[in-house]
Amino acid sequence: VALENVLRPDEPRPSLSRDAALAEAPDSDGAGFRVPSPGA
Amino acid sequence: MSEIVELTAAAAAERVRAGELSPGELWDAYRERAAGDSLNAFLWLAEDAPDVPVGAPLGGVPLAVKDLFCTEGVPSAAASKILEGYRPPYTATAVELLADAGAPMLGKTNMDEFAMGSSNENSAFGAVRNPWDQSRVPGGSSGGSAAAVAAGLAPWAIGTDTGGSIRQPASLCGIVGLKPTYGSVSRYGMIAFASSLDQAGPLTRDVSDAALMLRHMVGHDKCDSTSTGHPDEIALPTAERLDGVRFGVPPELTGEGLEPGVSAVFEATLKRIEELGGTVQDVSLPHSGHAISAYYVIAPAEASANLARFDGVRYGHRTEHTETLLSLYEQTREEGFGPEVKRRIMLGTYALSSGYYDAYYGSAQRVRTKIAEDFRGAFDAVDLIVTPTSPTVAFGIGERVDDPWSMYLSDVLTVPMSLAGIPAISIPGGLSEGLPVGIQLAGPAFSESRILDAAHALELATGFDGSVARA
């Protein structure tokens, strides 16, 4: 049976920068979103 | 100044192209009108006149944008406290397409919070007033957009329609509102309410403006997985007659429950259709009576999933009560969402809960299929379906807020088309006791050009004068 891959090639593309993604965060450490401890 | 404001968007764009009007003059005229907004239609106004690409087809005609479209660097809150002050890092595709075509953003318009409502009273930033009678609602959820266009605070506006949120406020404000075929306009950058129903469309002063705006909104977008684009370029309407056009009147949507004044305008419209050469016949939509029930399962179910993202972590409001992660989530949502949004999240969460999913969401989806089949059957016999847009004219501010069901029934005539995913327009049909009555025309998927043509002929014959609301 002849099969053909229907998935598109996995090519990285530019997306939102980390700074832009964090710009609206209520709290961040510059690298990620900061939240209180789940266990507190 | 006032002369500029009396131009339709298409006419203003034409004057700019002819060199008789500068985009700057046009911008200033509307910026001044919008700054004097006494209807609470705008939540934010642009400060500076934007650069308009030379020769842009829309000529720099400013656009009012519903607050649920994300606009880069500009507050986009969907009229919710949970997103107050949020400035997105990107712009919705539909807004970007219109700006590229020469319709720069004049401001962001008020709406029911997350587009949940039919009166604009669910906004976290206050109710909007109807320019025809300021003690009455403009409809919703695109109430700010409709009021701004009707009052001449903006030449035209972009809104969104989930169950009637473009058509119903257009009807109540005496303007034109078009909900396109689901998928034809990208939903990318629209703050989602019910993803299988949400669709952006124009709110305009006349049918030609609606066609012109829609032409520059449609298109496939790889950022929206449900985007289909439109098979044809949207034609600018020219029809002055309705010869040979077959109109269907569904008894299920035109019988009981209509205000007498709405029925009278509807009957007059049917006569007008026949005078223009069209034919009118009954056509049954047997399941449409269940549309509101199915809609109020499907839409809240999808909303409950979509609104789970507002958690006070990545953007928007965060509570001061941050003792634990759970209290952060709970208190943020408790403080940020209004009562109607909470009601729909609870309804939707219940409908999707384990063990009830098939009984509620599954049943509602099966009803939805029946309704879509009803329309397909009807369009074997007729070209377009005609109904009133809303069973009533604009009601008083505060009149229905304590009775959600009566508010939901405001969309009883528009929800069936939403569930079927088909296009429908509302155009002014006349007045009842001094308030506008909208007429809805619906057609098969992707029949926008045909709907617009018929609406154009009807509009010409109706001769509705909306200038009162701009006074």
Side-chain angles (χ1 to χ4, degrees):
Chain A
V1 182
L3 292 176
E4 197 185 331
N5 189 355
V6 295
L7 302 177
R8 63 174 168 76
D10 185 14
E11 286 163 0
R13 277 174 305 188
S15 61
L16 213 56
S17 73
R18 180 178 301 213
D19 285 348
L22 290 174
E24 288 286 325
D27 193 9
S28 120
D29 65 359
F33 303 104
R34 186 153 41 199
V35 295
S37 164
Chain B
M1 279 300 190
S2 64
E3 190 229 14
I4 293 178
V5 171
E6 283 309 308
L7 297 171
T8 65
E14 189 53 49
R15 289 231 190 153
V16 172
R17 276 198 302 274
E20 296 160 11
L21 177 65
S22 80
E25 280 175 275
L26 185 55
W27 175 270
D28 291 344
Y30 276 105
R31 183 59 179 74
E32 193 183 312
R33 293 277 295 182
D37 170 22
S38 60
L39 305 170
N40 199 26
F42 281 99
L43 296 176
W44 177 89
L45 282 179
E47 279 307 322
D48 304 314
D51 289 328
V52 176
V54 178
L58 301 182
V61 180
L63 177 72
V65 175
K66 190 178 183 180
D67 197 38
L68 66 59
F69 288 92
C70 285
T71 44
E72 187 178 349
V74 165
S76 308
S80 178
K81 268 208 278 199
I82 211 160
L83 280 175
E84 191 168 5
Y86 170 57
R87 291 172 188 261
Y90 69 103
T91 297
T93 301
V95 176
E96 200 146 79
L97 286 173
L98 288 169
D100 290 347
M105 181 168 55
L106 175 67
K108 299 297 283 284
T109 53
N110 206 342
M111 54 182 284
D112 285 294
E113 182 179 4
F114 288 109
M116 297 179 187
S118 307
S119 68
N120 216 115
E121 291 165 292
N122 295 336
S123 167
F125 308 118
V128 176
R129 298 178 176 279
N130 189 316
W132 289 83
D133 174 348
Q134 296 210 11
S135 72
R136 293 174 189 264
V137 303
S141 67
S142 308
S145 292
V149 173
L153 310 180
W156 53 6
I158 178 172
T160 62
D161 190 311
T162 303
S165 280
I166 288 174
R167 291 161 285 162
Q168 186 259 15
S171 172
L172 270 47
C173 288
I175 62 167
V176 172
L178 172 67
K179 183 200 89 75
T181 306
Y182 181 80
S184 54
V185 178
S186 169
R187 291 184 298 110
Y188 182 66
M190 276 165 55
I191 298 169
F193 162 17
S195 306
S196 76
L197 295 157
D198 296 343
Q199 187 62 200
L203 293 115
T204 57
R205 219 176 279 174
D206 72 7
V207 173
S208 298
D209 280 1
L212 183 63
M213 188 190 297
L214 183 65
R215 169 184 278 196
H216 295 283
M217 287 171 71
V218 296
H220 177 256
D221 182 2
K222 63 181 184 332
C223 296
D224 171 5
S225 63
T226 60
S227 157
T228 57
H230 210 275
D232 319 297
E233 184 177 52
I234 304 297
L236 299 184
T238 54
E240 297 179 7
R241 299 273 308 167
L242 294 169
D243 296 306
V245 184
R246 299 166 303 167
F247 288 79
V249 176
E252 297 87 353
L253 300 180
T254 52
E256 56 181 300
L258 300 186
E259 265 178 12
V262 172
S263 287
V265 169
F266 182 62
E267 292 304 322
T269 301
L270 297 182
K271 275 207 193 76
R272 203 168 285 137
I273 287 171
E274 288 178 327
E275 285 162 13
L276 292 170
T279 61
V280 176
Q281 66 186 84
D282 275 1
V283 62
S284 185
L285 299 172
H287 298 91
S288 55
H290 301 293
I292 284 279
S293 306
Y295 177 85
Y296 276 99
V297 173
I298 294 168
E302 296 182 11
S304 71
N306 276 323
L307 271 57
R309 75 190 56 164
F310 302 105
D311 56 8
V313 173
R314 291 156 298 160
Y315 42 73
H317 175 70
R318 174 184 284 199
T319 180
E320 300 295 322
H321 300 277
T322 55
E323 294 77 25
T324 68
L325 186 58
L326 194 61
S327 71
L328 182 154
Y329 292 153
E330 288 175 346
Q331 281 300 317
T332 295
R333 291 166 68 80
E334 159 63 21
E335 293 165 13
F337 291 134
E340 180 62 26
V341 174
K342 286 177 184 161
R343 178 181 294 125
R344 296 201 197 186
I345 290 173
M346 287 189 279
L347 278 171
T349 306
Y350 184 76
L352 291 179
S353 57
S354 170
Y356 291 102
Y357 180 93
D358 196 58
Y360 292 105
Y361 193 71
S363 301
Q365 288 288 35
R366 284 188 285 277
V367 171
R368 183 178 190 174
T369 302
K370 293 282 181 203
I371 288 169
E373 284 168 356
D374 283 356
F375 277 107
R376 270 197 291 278
F379 290 130
D380 286 339
V382 298
D383 300 303
L384 298 170
I385 283 172
V386 57
T387 72
T389 308
S390 165
T392 69
V393 293
F395 44 93
I397 292 176
E399 211 173 276
R400 296 193 188 179
V401 282
D402 295 327
D403 184 357
W405 187 247
S406 82
M407 192 71 93
Y408 294 174
L409 286 178
S410 200
D411 292 324
V412 67
L413 307 177
T414 49
V415 156
M417 295 74 181
S418 297
L419 289 170
I422 60 175
I425 197 169
S426 178
I427 63 168
L431 296 174
S432 166
E433 294 176 15
L435 293 166
V437 174
I439 299 297
Q440 176 176 237
L441 302 178
F446 303 114
S447 67
E448 279 84 346
S449 291
R450 191 194 306 168
I451 291 175
L452 285 159
D453 240 352
H456 181 260
L458 204 48
E459 174 183 68
L460 271 179
T462 304
F464 183 81
D465 178 10
S467 63
V468 190
R470 295 192 290 277

